[in-house]
Amino acid sequence: MSYYDDFVPHQGLRPPRAHLDTDAPRLVLDGDWRFRLSPVADLPADFVAPDFDDSGWDTLAVPCHWPLRGYGNPWYTNVVYPFPVDPPHPPEDNPTGDHRVAFDLPDDWAGRRVVLRFDGVESCAKVWLNGAELGFFTGSRLRAEFDVTPRPGRNVLAVRVHQWSAASYLEDQDQWWLPGIFRSVTLEARGDLDDVFVHASYRDGRGTLRVDTSVPATVSVPELGIEVASGVAATVAVQPWSAERPRLYDATVATDSETVRLRIGFRTVSIEDGVLLVNGEPLALRGVNRHEFHPDHGRAVPYETMREDVLLMKRHNINAVRTSHYPPHPAFLDLCDELGLWVIDECDLETHGFFFTGWERNPSDVPEWRESYLDRMRRTVERDKNHPSIVLWSLGNESHTGANLAAMTGWVRDRDPSRPVHYEGDADCAYVDVYSRMYATHAEVAEIGQEPGIPFLQCEYAHAMGNGPGGLAEYVALFDRYPRIAGGFVWEWIDHGLRHPSLEYAYGGDYGEPLHDGNFVIDGLLFPDRTPSPGLLDVKKVYEPVRVTVADGRVTVEELRPVPPLRFEWSAGDLSGELDLSSGSAPLPELPSFAGETWLTVRAVLAQDQPWAAAGHEITWAQHQVAAAVAPVVGGGDRPQRTGSGFSLGPGEFDRTGRLRAFGGLPVGAPHLALWRAPTDNDRGENAHLDQTWHALGLHRLTHRLDGVEAGETLVVRERTAAAALARGALVTYEWASAGAGLALTVSVEPDGEWPEPIARLAVAMPLPASIEHVTWFGRGPGEAYPDTGSATLVGRWESTVDGMQTPYVRPQENGRRADVRWAELTGPDGGLRIAGDFGFTVRRWTDADLAAARHRNELRAGAAVWLTIDVGQQGIGTASCGPGALPEHVLTLRKTAFTVVCTPLS
Ligand code: GAL
């Protein structure tokens, strides 16, 4: 057995200890290293001697994942292992990267103890200094430290990294497999303060601090007047730490040889009467799951990107993060302490692929793996124990259940009783302190909320894959309602799309992986370049910390969670002003009467700069209608006229079959019934398979048969719409009537046969000239909205372009629908049209079929027409890609319907 083929997690490592900001000198070894890639692991270690000639090797900038630097390829799987399941053996094909770097020992380090630290290496590394073997380690996202004795002057570090090892069985997280030294490598000249453990609790206005250290030291917190010996408790008046008010106190812990700087936050986590509390207050986790990801660097995430993540979370009202599914870079946790996020810190553990063996030989219950489990938990807790932001420890993810997991809890409870233990896989709650579920339905969450028991949270919910998540607002309403529910964490923060020269962003299969899970890795609230998706904007609205309501002539604000000072701005039509809501409510501003539909918008914005956003940043808003719409003019007196080629009526030219051919001089196509949409990831999801239902119903290939055309007062065209091979269909009447300068189109739909299954949408689609470019509308905007998404959208007048109305989902799918629209104007250099009514619409340069066929956005090409689809119904989005489908009230079926839109030409 080789070290990479063994249950033993490491050899030669120092015991784990806290991540410390010390004044001990450091030498960061990041930079250009020498690199050689081999296809297998079983190689002679010919390269470890200091004088080995590596001049023929490549240069690699460490930290990085080598597949993202041109050596081999990334590989994506969700649950399945990308190698045969025969623990503890890795496959023979085992890409192995040999690394070498030389460094000069600073002169003043002579005689000091020195530690060599690796912050992240996937998945197994063996290390030599100046030819002498130091040992090996596994635990990709865990810290590893060796005691080393560098010699004065030049030293050579040699590291052999294997992509696969026994430990890969414990690291089956749903993400790209990305080997390499992907976090920093550091040398630290040690003082004597190897470890520090901060205990800082809070109760009734007072904090108690005790700092345990590996050797006696002095603890000072100047701001609090604390100066005590390590191990001695001091109790003083303090302000507590919380995600909303992340009050930190600068402290030092010092011996003669070393000073460690700490930022201390006082808080106490407790569970009382089944409610999770911090500082005696119920914890309301409005969270998100965060994998470390950058489209160019994978999990070698630059510091600025980590900071951007925290800032984006704060600006979108997210107050909690689960570090799925491993401890993040330590700097990320410092940012959570500083800027304020509640954290569930999760151990680097997942064995999901054993699901396919019926959990047989699952490491969680196999004694040989016990030490690895305990080792992973120790290395997680010891490194991260001093962060006030961490309020729960998580044992890992999707590793079923077993004695090794229970043993991890046993160790945690002994070492750090101050934080409850989380693990979703412990269905019986035998060794956890909170009950956790993923993707439970709304109904079940409501039921759990009503049952007595230990605190409950959804460690994953609202799967943000592609268009969605639908049903988010309804979940958060349940969190708000039941004290037992501590909240939940949306899955997940960012799409793991890797930047690709031709595909824009790559997902599973794009590197020719023999086994992969496609675009299941594209399921975040941020697009890969960190642009917020519509889903994140919805999250911001439903996670609002204050709720503004307008009713009975008053504007009222309710604080759901502590917020910094706010200002309240209102606007209606061209008018605007400020409201004084300091007493909690105020009368509506005096408003004149408005000529058309008008809404009052009240925005809550930051009154002062905060570390995470500037004054004026919008926290939330509310709207209230203050003037109703004026009914459109219908009936202009014109009647259809026969022409040589068919009919004309007002601005419309129709062919002999009564089908529209031109409108206001623009060549257009006739509107026809449309019941399909390019399936979303959620439509395709394993819990819905709506794409298959729609396929079986032929909704994507409907045909339209003329049943009659009558020209009287109005022009009436009757069609039967149906799909080949199917008996059922829909009887559709299109009635064109004069309406001022335009035409009113009334569409009446009647099912012909039984249609019990959900349809995608109830709409008409028509081609417009490709010259159409600009879009202006009054309705919900600026972004997309479906029946169960779009909490973020406001009613108003919005402007965009055809291209700007497309939501750039990495895998193309239905998107960009604007909802509750009263009118829309579509224009271009050759003219355009205005449509008024009450509808939703999409407008795009390709057909639904093109959209559905494309695997990547680069496949979408502008066609000869701009397709306009006007709908009066859409199937809800739901989260069936990994969770429940749309709620019953958002399921759309074909029903007898009639609707009218008024179309007017625009020059
Ligand atoms: C969960 C899992 C996550 C992710 C998600 C689906 O079961 O914990 O890691 O795979 O499903 O995207």
Side-chain angles (χ1 to χ4, degrees), residues 550 555 570-572 588-589 591 598-602 622-626:
V550 184
V555 182
W570 66 264
S571 62
L588 277 185
L591 296 173
T598 309
W599 287 65
L600 169 76
T601 304
V602 179
Q623 280 199 306
H624 181 72
Q625 189 173 359
V626 289

Side-chain angles (χ1 to χ4, degrees), residues 375-608:
D375 172 63
R376 281 169 185 261
M377 200 67 215
R378 280 188 218 114
R379 284 160 71 190
T380 300
V381 171
E382 295 295 357
R383 192 197 73 170
D384 293 346
K385 62 195 173 216
N386 293 332
H387 291 282
S389 54
I390 298 174
V391 286
L392 293 161
W393 296 116
S394 177
L395 304 181
N397 188 55
E398 295 187 315
S399 304
H400 199 51
T401 189
N404 298 338
L405 289 156
M408 290 164 101
T409 295
W411 181 85
V412 176
R413 288 193 175 141
D414 203 37
R415 179 64 175 150
D416 179 22
S418 78
R419 294 173 175 104
V421 173
H422 166 272
Y423 174 59
E424 180 267 347
D426 180 16
D428 302 332
C429 298
Y431 48 86
V432 293
D433 300 306
V434 294
Y435 176 36
S436 174
R437 291 284 303 278
M438 42 175 82
Y439 309 110
T441 62
H442 298 82
E444 202 181 355
V445 170
E447 225 172 83
I448 296 169
Q450 289 164 61
E451 285 164 2
I454 60 176
F456 172 73
L457 60 86
Q458 290 230 90
C459 67
E460 294 176 27
Y461 81 110
H463 197 247
M465 186 176 184
N467 187 335
L472 180 69
E474 291 87 346
Y475 274 118
V476 177
L478 295 170
F479 301 168
D480 283 340
R481 179 148 170 211
Y482 299 107
R484 184 186 174 192
I485 305 181
F489 297 79
V490 169
W491 186 268
E492 66 174 309
W493 177 235
I494 183 167
D495 289 343
H496 308 212
L498 288 169
R499 206 181 309 273
H500 190 283
S502 55
L503 301 178
E504 190 173 49
Y505 293 110
Y507 52 77
D510 288 333
Y511 298 100
E513 305 105 291
L515 184 70
H516 64 83
D517 288 292
N519 67 323
F520 208 63
V521 78
I522 308 289
D523 55 359
L525 294 171
L526 292 178
F527 295 115
D529 66 356
R530 289 189 155 69
T531 307
S533 75
L536 182 58
L537 304 182
D538 279 3
V539 165
K540 177 180 175 183
K541 180 69 175 97
V542 303
Y543 280 5
E544 60 190 359
V546 296
R547 190 173 294 142
V548 180
T549 40
V550 184
D552 306 328
R554 293 190 77 77
V555 182
T556 308
V557 58
E558 180 195 356
E559 189 172 292
L560 305 172
R561 296 187 294 283
V563 273
L566 300 176
R567 279 191 299 111
F568 296 86
E569 299 172 346
W570 66 264
S571 62
D574 294 337
L575 305 171
S576 60
E578 229 176 272
L579 280 175
D580 178 4
L581 288 177
S582 48
S583 69
S585 91
L588 277 185
E590 299 250 335
L591 296 173
S593 54
F594 293 96
E597 181 173 348
T598 309
W599 287 65
L600 169 76
T601 304
V602 179
R603 290 172 202 271
V605 304
L606 288 178
Q608 299 151 8

